[in-house]
Amino acid sequence: MTFQELARARYSVRAFKDTPIEEETMQLILEAGRVAPTACNNQPQKIYIAKSAESRAKLASVCRCTFDAPVILVVCYDRTRDWKNKLMPGYESGETDAAIVCTHMMLQAYELGVGSCWVGYFTADAVSQVLGLPENVTVSALLPMGYPADNAAPLPLHSQYRDFEDTIAEI
């Protein structure tokens, strides 16, 4: 499969089988996030893995979009490690870095037959509180993942894209 085929085929999975993800497969997914590019290679990402029923229940108590996935990655960044742009006061790279890491993991997962769904519909403070995360860590996304259920399918808008002219411009 070419990268273009992979990028077009991957979709947000919202229904999962109970089948656990093999440790070797999980390590490949996590490695894809570990080697993702980050600003100045500061690597501020911190990924928490929620596999136990208890940790997944804690997340489900503060986010309705966990989809009963067998694994939920809590994609975070450490504010003491992200890059601060001295030319743009207030700009810090953590959120962007975490998004790149998340994307790498989603694409690697799909290549390995594991479905995922990027979730941002939660309150970061609530997730931090139920998991007892350190104060310097900010939750950026939840990534429920597992093998897609037999009835899993892309949403109707999955294959609809805006025209190039709407998203790209030469200057």
Side-chain angles (χ1 to χ4, degrees):
M1 178 180 302
T2 68
F3 181 78
Q4 284 292 321
E5 291 167 337
L6 176 79
R8 287 182 183 277
R10 191 236 155 244
Y11 67 95
S12 293
V13 175
R14 293 175 174 87
F16 299 95
K17 294 179 180 177
D18 290 337
T19 310
I21 300 172
E22 298 84 1
E23 190 59 33
E24 181 180 319
T25 300
M26 198 72 234
Q27 289 303 312
L28 289 170
I29 293 166
L30 294 168
E31 178 67 6
R34 188 178 76 87
V35 301
T38 60
C40 294
N41 201 30
N42 282 5
Q43 303 173 40
Q45 71 268 24
K46 183 72 173 183
I47 313 300
Y48 295 91
I49 306 166
K51 285 188 200 177
S52 71
E54 179 186 353
S55 60
R56 290 181 292 127
K58 285 179 182 179
L59 288 168
S61 75
V62 294
C63 176
R64 68 179 191 175
C65 300
T66 59
F67 309 113
D68 294 319
V71 174
I72 304 167
L73 299 183
V74 183
V75 182
C76 305
Y77 63 94
D78 182 334
R79 293 186 308 279
T80 67
R81 291 185 176 180
D82 66 352
W83 176 69
K84 279 60 167 171
N85 184 342
K86 294 176 185 166
L87 300 177
M88 284 193 326
Y91 177 82
E92 300 174 0
S93 69
E95 192 71 35
T96 300
D97 291 338
I100 295 167
V101 166
C102 197
T103 301
H104 273 230
M105 292 189 300
M106 287 188 312
L107 292 171
Q108 178 64 81
Y110 187 80
E111 183 188 48
L112 297 170
V114 175
S116 63
C117 185
W118 185 315
V119 174
Y121 192 69
F122 59 86
T123 303
D125 289 342
V127 172
S128 293
Q129 185 176 19
V130 299
L131 296 179
L133 302 182
E135 275 190 34
N136 58 306
V137 170
T138 298
V139 180
S140 179
L142 299 182
L143 193 58
M145 61 174 36
Y147 293 100
D150 294 335
N151 65 343
L155 291 178
L157 294 177
H158 171 75
S159 298
Q160 294 182 15
Y161 305 100
R162 291 173 40 206
D163 292 335
F164 263 83
E165 297 79 24
D166 287 345
T167 62
I168 299 168
E170 285 190 35
I171 53 172

